[in-house]
Amino acid sequence: MGRVLFVMTGASYWTFENGHRHPTGYWAEEFVAPYSVFTDAGYQVTVATPGAVIPVVDTMSLQPRYAGGEENMLKETAVIESAEELRHPIAIKDARLEDYDAVYYPGGHGPMEDLAFDADSAVLLRKALASGKPLAIVCHAPAAILSTRDENGNTPFAGRRVTGFCNEEEEGVGFAKDAKWLLEDELKKLPTNYSRGPAWESYLVSDGNLHTGQNPASSGPLAQEVLKVLS
């Protein structure tokens, strides 16, 4: 049985420029869709978070208008409630890359609060990129790439082709004006070779073993892309 490591935010809030703590966590679809893809294909999933904190779902992502309707919301809720892996995470620092076939980072606004600055995640990301194993990162989770800069600002992700939640989408959910920084801006500054597709539509970018998706709609197709590479 193959194994996929899900590296997830442990944050339950996102701090705005004015100091307000906006409740958040991981985005439901970005866990559920890939989790279903991988487990249906026979892969075992392990969840890792900073300090082995049990991850929390962003309740906004389970509102019917964001979840694709009432029926889909109920399906996503059922998967989250049945996924025991979410209740028993390991610490990112204890994750051994050699134990997994692929690494996947789901988003939500949580990574903007913790994974963007997490040293253990940075070590894992550098190792995963160098390993040649599929490394998949979606939506806001590319914020974790920012943590891989060394004291001179150098990162192995510099110049890589990537995508992630765009400024237009952040404006669309109403948070761009409140954020300390925007993901698209910071990825460009890193610098990566950032690109994006139409807002809210699935858009994937692959560069070697690095596979990124722009938004929640990209998470299922991103997992399918990784599955193709693994098979």
Side-chain angles (χ1 to χ4, degrees):
M1 181 186 289
R3 300 180 71 191
V4 179
L5 180 68
F6 276 40
V7 183
M8 301 181 65
T9 179
S12 58
Y13 60 83
W14 176 30
T15 307
F16 286 162
E17 183 68 49
N18 65 4
H20 170 71
R21 290 182 170 185
H22 174 74
T24 189
Y26 67 88
W27 197 259
E29 181 178 3
E30 296 171 35
F31 172 81
V32 171
Y35 177 83
S36 299
V37 167
F38 290 125
T39 55
D40 287 351
Y43 283 83
Q44 179 183 338
V45 167
T46 296
V47 170
T49 63
V53 172
I54 295 175
V56 297
V57 65
D58 188 326
T59 55
M60 190 166 99
S61 68
L62 287 173
Q63 292 177 14
R65 64 185 176 128
Y66 290 113
E70 184 85 19
E71 184 179 348
N72 205 54
M73 178 270 287
L74 292 172
K75 286 180 182 175
E76 289 184 351
T77 300
V79 172
I80 289 169
E81 288 177 350
S82 67
E84 281 303 309
E85 297 91 339
L86 286 170
R87 255 73 70 193
H88 305 284
I90 64 171
I92 295 172
K93 67 179 176 60
D94 295 330
R96 291 160 27 100
L97 185 62
E98 56 268 33
D99 292 340
Y100 303 97
D101 299 285
V103 177
Y104 167 66
Y105 276 68
H109 284 100
M112 303 279 279
E113 185 72 24
D114 60 357
L115 296 182
F117 314 99
D118 191 276
D120 295 322
S121 173
V123 170
L124 180 66
L125 282 168
R126 291 190 203 102
K127 288 180 177 176
L129 189 66
S131 73
K133 295 180 178 184
L135 170 60
I137 315 175
V138 75
C139 199
H140 285 91
I145 294 172
L146 304 176
S147 69
T148 63
R149 289 172 289 199
D150 64 18
E151 60 274 11
N152 298 314
N154 298 318
T155 168
F157 290 87
R160 290 285 193 148
R161 295 190 303 276
V162 302
T163 189
F165 205 66
C166 68
N167 291 353
E168 181 186 351
E169 289 166 327
E170 202 68 85
E171 288 161 6
V173 293
F175 296 141
K177 66 185 186 304
D178 298 314
K180 291 180 180 178
W181 46 274
L182 298 177
L183 180 60
E184 177 182 334
D185 294 344
E186 294 305 310
L187 289 174
K188 287 176 177 176
K189 284 182 203 170
L190 195 59
T192 62
N193 184 1
Y194 175 90
S195 65
R196 50 156 291 193
W200 312 116
E201 294 183 21
S202 177
Y203 180 75
L204 307 180
V205 173
S206 292
D207 186 340
N209 65 315
L210 176 62
H211 308 273
T212 50
Q214 180 176 316
N215 46 33
S218 308
S219 58
L222 182 64
Q224 293 285 4
E225 183 67 25
V226 171
L227 209 55
K228 267 194 275 180
V229 173
L230 290 173
S231 56

